[in-house]
């Protein structure tokens, strides 16, 4: 397989990696405290959609996280890991069932997921989805075309994250439609299938953006809002449990127990 050309600088379109500071540690403590005493595996809480970016294999790297440990936690908690399509089907019409359900998603198309996350999921025969920013493809640290074509063999579905990763709340409806259309066309070219699902860049969405993405033909879309999803909720405003660099099983468990959204509510009440 041909190797892709390098990215034009060390960090691509993102800030250079930095070791999480004291704010990250305080946030972890607050999320765990907010989740204390709550179940992380109650099926009635709804479907969990996990949100990852990369899965850096080097423990000394600031973007490393314990992906293996988190997947073991899902198994220990009795989660049924389902495809994003199956998760959206439950959210649209139910029922929730007797086991907790989770779908696993990745944003942007980071190449290091081929080293850790995707093989781990394939070994467990668990499906996943990756939201691709198609203009990033072909330059490290992101996937290149040949790697995208091979995702199906790993049980990973390629979905839409726009072509150039703009904040959609800052551009007009025609530009939003163009971002979705170009992204969809590139994924169709690489995979031979039409992607169905979308993730808003930076998690940012308002009513206008929600309607524009729905009008551009997506079947459902993920936001940056924390939490799980129950039947009957808007499939274009899906919440996710976001995993940050340095997180391990304890942080995932707290997120599944609702720690992130409870922390936000508590902080708002104190203002």
């Amino acid at each position: 397989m041909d190797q892709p050309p390098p990215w034009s600088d060390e960090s691509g379109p993102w800030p250079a990696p930095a070791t999480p500071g004291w704010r990250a540690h305080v946030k972890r403590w607050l999320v765990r405290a907010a989740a204390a005493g709550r179940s992380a595996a109650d099926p009635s809480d709804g479907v969990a959609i996990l949100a990852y970016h990369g899965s850096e294999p080097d423990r000394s790297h600031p973007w490393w996280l314990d992906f293996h440990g988190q997947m073991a936690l899902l198994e220990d908690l009795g989660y049924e890991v389902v495809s994003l399509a199956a998760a959206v089907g439950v959210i649209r019409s139910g029922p929730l069932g007797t086991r907790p359900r989770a779908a696993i998603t990745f944003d942007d198309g980071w190449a290091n997921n081929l080293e850790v996350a995707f093989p781990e999921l394939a070994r467990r025969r668990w499906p996943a989805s990756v939201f691709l920013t198609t203009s990033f493809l072909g330059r490290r640290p992101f996937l290149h075309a040949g790697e995208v074509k091979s995702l199906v063999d790993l049980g990973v579905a390629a979905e839409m994250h726009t072509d150039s990763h703009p904040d959609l709340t800052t551009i007009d409806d025609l530009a939003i439609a163009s971002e979705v259309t170009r992204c969809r066309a590139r994924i169709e070219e690489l995979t031979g299938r039409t992607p169905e699902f979308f993730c808003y860049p930076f998690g940012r969405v308002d009513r206008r953006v929600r309607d524009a993405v729905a009008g551009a033909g997506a079947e459902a879309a993920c936001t940056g809002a924390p939490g799980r999803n129950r039947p009957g909720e808007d499939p274009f405003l899906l919440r996710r449990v976001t995993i940050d660099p340095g997180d391990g099983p304890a942080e995932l468990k707290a997120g599944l127990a609702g720690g992130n959204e409870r922390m936000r509510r508590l902080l708002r009440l104190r203002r």
Side-chain angles (χ1 to χ4, degrees):
M1 184 180 294
D2 293 338
Q3 291 299 309
W7 193 254
S8 57
D9 58 43
E10 291 184 356
S11 59
W14 308 104
T19 301
W22 65 268
R23 288 184 178 85
H25 296 293
V26 170
K27 177 187 174 185
R28 289 194 183 99
W29 183 87
L30 290 172
V31 169
R32 288 192 200 181
R38 294 177 58 85
S39 173
D42 184 350
S44 68
D45 284 342
V47 180
I49 301 175
L50 308 189
Y52 291 89
H53 287 82
S55 51
E56 173 58 47
D58 180 0
R59 281 179 173 266
S60 66
H61 194 283
W63 287 2
W64 176 83
L65 52 81
D66 185 0
F67 188 82
H68 295 296
Q70 292 181 349
M71 296 304 99
L73 173 71
L74 288 180
E75 184 175 40
D76 291 344
L77 292 174
Y79 270 82
E80 178 186 3
V81 176
V82 300
S83 67
L84 184 58
V88 170
V90 170
I91 295 160
R92 284 188 180 279
S93 58
L96 285 173
T98 59
R99 289 178 62 189
R101 290 190 180 103
I104 301 173
T105 67
F106 300 83
D107 289 3
D108 307 320
W110 293 85
N112 60 26
N113 289 317
L114 290 170
E115 299 179 62
V116 178
F118 296 165
E120 171 73 6
L121 294 172
R123 182 181 69 81
R124 293 176 177 273
R125 298 185 179 180
W126 287 354
S129 297
V130 55
F131 294 109
L132 296 175
T133 303
T134 46
S135 70
F136 295 175
L137 299 177
R139 294 178 288 181
R140 286 301 192 238
F142 301 99
L143 297 167
H144 63 81
E147 292 165 339
V148 173
K149 292 176 182 178
S150 70
L151 291 180
V152 65
D153 296 329
L154 296 170
V156 178
E159 303 293 350
M160 298 175 285
H161 199 32
T162 71
D163 182 60
S164 65
H165 207 282
D167 179 347
L168 298 183
T169 65
T170 67
I171 63 178
D172 64 32
D173 291 359
L174 287 176
I176 294 172
S178 176
E179 286 284 344
V180 177
T181 300
R182 284 182 287 144
C183 183
R184 179 190 294 115
R186 181 61 169 149
I187 292 172
E188 287 177 339
E189 175 190 349
L190 293 174
T191 68
R193 63 172 286 274
T194 300
E196 302 175 274
F197 306 114
F198 185 84
C199 179
Y200 303 104
F202 309 106
R204 294 174 188 159
V205 58
D206 55 24
R207 175 55 59 175
R208 180 185 66 85
V209 169
R210 179 249 181 247
D211 292 346
V213 168
E219 295 293 327
C222 291
T223 72
R228 287 159 68 172
N229 304 275
R230 296 178 179 84
E233 295 179 338
D234 189 341
F236 286 91
L237 296 174
L238 297 174
R239 294 185 293 274
R240 294 196 291 175
V241 177
T242 298
I243 313 301
D244 292 324
D247 282 356
E251 286 73 35
L252 173 58
K253 188 173 183 179
L256 291 168
N260 287 289
E261 61 266 38
R262 283 175 62 82
M263 177 190 70
R264 288 190 181 189
R265 286 199 297 269
L266 291 170
L267 291 176
R268 282 198 296 267
L269 288 173
R270 292 183 178 182
R271 289 176 183 171

